[in-house]
Amino acid sequence: MLQSNVTSDIFVVYGTSGNDGGVTQLLDLMAYEGTPFYKVNNGTSIPGLIAKDDVVIIKVNCQNNERGGTNTDLVKALIQAIVGPSGWIHWRDNYRR
């Protein structure tokens, strides 16, 4: 069996509703721990996750409304963090009953 030494960092903010600054808290935590959300080309070795001209796809798991749906306020706050106040977004959903 092939083994891997790859690890992932997981960042968590508990008890947020999406319209209370929780996404900002998460992005601040990520930056504090050395994984900034935004990539900045300023000659440093700090990578960042999203660059200015990146295309970002968010997969929302909102298939079964009886089992608790996705918090759309959190999705909205995440999108606002990615595109900013003047960014462009194309939202698609394939909701099935």
Side-chain angles (χ1 to χ4, degrees):
M1 175 179 260
L2 184 65
Q3 292 186 358
S4 173
N5 293 328
V6 177
T7 62
S8 298
D9 294 322
I10 298 173
F11 303 94
V12 178
V13 174
Y14 290 104
T16 184
S17 65
N19 53 10
D20 59 0
V23 170
T24 302
Q25 291 174 17
L26 178 63
L27 302 186
D28 290 344
L29 173 64
M30 291 170 62
Y32 179 79
E33 294 293 332
T35 305
F37 192 66
Y38 306 106
K39 182 176 184 178
V40 179
N41 294 325
N42 60 1
T44 67
S45 62
I46 300 173
L49 299 177
I50 299 175
K52 181 179 179 180
D53 295 328
D54 283 351
V55 174
V56 178
I57 299 172
I58 301 170
K59 168 61 175 95
V60 177
N61 188 8
C62 189
Q63 195 169 19
N64 300 312
N65 61 352
E66 295 87 16
R67 297 183 185 172
T70 299
N71 183 333
T72 54
D73 288 334
L74 280 172
V75 175
K76 178 182 176 185
L78 179 60
I79 290 169
Q80 287 174 333
I82 293 169
V83 300
S86 61
W88 183 86
I89 180 138
H90 183 85
W91 179 287
R92 301 292 286 173
D93 193 5
N94 186 16
Y95 179 76
R96 297 177 192 165
R97 290 183 184 233

